[in-house]
Protein backbone atom coordinates (compact mmCIF):
# COMPACT_ATOMS: atom_id res chain seq x y z
CA UNK A 1 0.00 0.00 0.00
CA UNK A 2 1.37 3.43 -0.91
CA UNK A 3 1.15 6.64 1.03
CA UNK A 4 0.76 10.17 -0.21
CA UNK A 5 0.16 13.70 1.00
CA UNK A 6 -2.69 16.04 0.20
CA UNK A 7 -3.45 19.70 0.87
CA UNK A 8 -5.96 20.31 3.67
CA UNK A 9 -7.14 23.33 5.56
CA UNK A 10 -8.06 23.56 9.22
CA UNK A 11 -9.98 26.31 10.99
CA UNK A 12 -11.79 26.92 14.26
CA UNK A 13 -15.21 26.71 12.59
CA UNK A 14 -16.17 30.11 13.99
CA UNK A 15 -15.12 32.33 11.10
CA UNK A 16 -11.39 32.28 11.85
CA UNK A 17 -8.82 32.04 9.10
CA UNK A 18 -8.12 28.69 7.48
CA UNK A 19 -4.57 27.37 7.90
CA UNK A 20 -3.43 25.22 4.93
CA UNK A 21 -0.94 22.35 5.25
CA UNK A 22 0.26 19.23 3.45
CA UNK A 23 -0.87 16.17 5.40
CA UNK A 24 -0.01 12.50 5.03
CA UNK A 25 -3.13 10.48 4.23
CA UNK A 26 -3.08 7.79 6.94
CA UNK A 27 -6.09 5.49 6.72
CA UNK A 28 -4.63 3.44 9.59
CA UNK A 29 -5.02 6.40 11.96
CA UNK A 30 -8.46 6.94 13.48
CA UNK A 31 -8.15 10.71 13.98
CA UNK A 32 -6.34 13.42 12.10
CA UNK A 33 -3.23 14.76 13.85
CA UNK A 34 -1.69 18.21 13.50
CA UNK A 35 1.06 19.89 15.54
CA UNK A 36 -0.08 21.35 18.85
CA UNK A 37 1.62 24.66 17.97
CA UNK A 38 -0.29 24.93 14.68
CA UNK A 39 -3.65 24.16 16.28
CA UNK A 40 -3.15 26.53 19.24
CA UNK A 41 -1.10 29.38 17.80
CA UNK A 42 -2.19 29.56 14.16
CA UNK A 43 -5.75 28.19 14.23
CA UNK A 44 -6.70 29.28 17.76
CA UNK A 45 -8.02 25.91 18.96
CA UNK A 46 -7.95 24.61 22.52
CA UNK A 47 -8.18 20.95 23.55
CA UNK A 48 -11.57 19.71 24.82
CA UNK A 49 -10.32 16.50 26.45
CA UNK A 50 -7.46 13.99 26.62
CA UNK A 51 -7.79 10.48 25.15
CA UNK A 52 -5.66 7.37 25.37
CA UNK A 53 -4.22 6.20 22.03
CA UNK A 54 -2.54 2.90 21.20
CA UNK A 55 0.27 2.68 18.63
CA UNK A 56 0.69 -0.27 16.27
CA UNK A 57 3.48 -1.64 18.50
CA UNK A 58 1.21 -1.66 21.55
CA UNK A 59 2.57 1.48 23.26
CA UNK A 60 -0.04 3.83 24.70
CA UNK A 61 -0.04 7.57 25.21
CA UNK A 62 -2.53 10.21 26.29
CA UNK A 63 -2.96 13.19 23.96
CA UNK A 64 -5.16 16.29 23.85
CA UNK A 65 -8.07 16.27 21.38
CA UNK A 66 -10.26 19.12 20.17
CA UNK A 67 -12.78 20.09 17.52
CA UNK A 68 -11.73 21.65 14.23
CA UNK A 69 -13.25 22.30 10.84
CA UNK A 70 -11.39 20.64 7.99
CA UNK A 71 -11.35 22.02 4.44
CA UNK A 72 -10.75 19.67 1.51
CA UNK A 73 -11.46 20.34 -2.15
CA UNK A 74 -13.87 23.21 -1.58
CA UNK A 75 -15.84 21.51 1.20
CA UNK A 76 -15.69 21.90 4.97
CA UNK A 77 -16.58 19.35 7.64
CA UNK A 78 -16.20 19.55 11.44
CA UNK A 79 -14.21 16.72 13.03
CA UNK A 80 -12.02 15.77 15.99
CA UNK A 81 -8.31 16.54 15.79
CA UNK A 82 -5.40 15.34 17.91
CA UNK A 83 -2.89 17.92 19.17
CA UNK A 84 0.33 16.18 18.10
CA UNK A 85 4.06 16.74 18.06
CA UNK A 86 5.89 19.11 15.73
CA UNK A 87 6.02 17.72 12.21
CA UNK A 88 2.93 15.50 12.61
CA UNK A 89 0.52 16.21 9.78
CA UNK A 90 -1.82 13.24 9.29
CA UNK A 91 -5.26 13.02 7.75
CA UNK A 92 -7.05 10.15 9.51
CA UNK A 93 -9.94 7.83 8.73
CA UNK A 94 -12.73 9.66 10.60
CA UNK A 95 -11.99 12.89 8.74
CA UNK A 96 -11.99 11.03 5.40
CA UNK A 97 -15.28 9.35 6.33
CA UNK A 98 -16.80 12.71 7.23
CA UNK A 99 -16.03 13.92 3.71
CA UNK A 100 -17.16 10.64 2.10
CA UNK A 101 -13.67 10.15 0.66
CA UNK A 102 -11.27 7.22 0.37
CA UNK A 103 -7.58 7.09 -0.44
CA UNK A 104 -6.63 5.98 -3.95
CA UNK A 105 -3.05 4.94 -3.18
CA UNK A 106 -2.39 3.89 -6.78
CA UNK A 107 -3.04 7.38 -8.16
CA UNK A 108 -2.12 9.25 -4.95
CA UNK A 109 -5.35 11.16 -4.56
CA UNK A 110 -8.57 11.28 -2.60
CA UNK A 111 -11.68 10.04 -4.38
CA UNK A 112 -15.38 9.80 -3.47
CA UNK A 113 -16.22 6.60 -1.60
CA UNK A 114 -17.86 4.20 -4.07
CA UNK A 115 -20.64 3.30 -1.65
CA UNK A 116 -21.23 4.96 1.68
CA UNK A 117 -22.41 2.47 4.32
CA UNK A 118 -25.43 3.42 6.41
Amino acid sequence: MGTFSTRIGVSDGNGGATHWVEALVDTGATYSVLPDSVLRDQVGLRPKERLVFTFADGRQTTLPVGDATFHIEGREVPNRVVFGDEGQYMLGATTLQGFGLVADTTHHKLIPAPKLPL
Side-chain angles (χ1 to χ4, degrees):
M1 180 192 300
T3 60
F4 62 96
S5 295
T6 192
R7 185 168 165 79
I8 64 168
V10 62
S11 68
D12 65 7
N14 294 317
T18 301
H19 183 76
W20 293 92
V21 299
E22 285 290 319
L24 179 70
V25 177
D26 186 353
T27 58
T30 302
Y31 293 114
S32 294
V33 182
L34 295 174
D36 186 288
S37 63
V38 169
L39 294 173
R40 289 179 192 263
D41 302 338
Q42 297 182 26
V43 181
L45 294 178
R46 296 293 175 254
K48 302 280 186 190
E49 62 182 320
R50 295 179 67 83
L51 297 176
V52 177
F53 294 92
T54 304
F55 294 98
D57 64 5
R59 290 179 298 129
Q60 291 188 333
T61 189
T62 302
L63 295 169
V65 178
D67 299 317
T69 296
F70 287 86
H71 304 259
I72 300 174
E73 298 176 0
R75 296 175 53 214
E76 59 184 61
V77 173
N79 207 282
R80 305 307 312 265
V81 64
V82 176
F83 289 64
D85 294 332
E86 291 305 311
Q88 283 188 300
Y89 294 89
M90 292 189 305
L91 181 60
T94 58
T95 306
L96 290 173
Q97 289 170 349
F99 279 92
L101 296 171
V102 295
D104 177 349
T105 56
T106 301
H107 298 101
H108 296 181
K109 64 181 181 177
L110 300 176
I111 60 171
K115 295 181 182 174
L116 295 175
L118 287 178

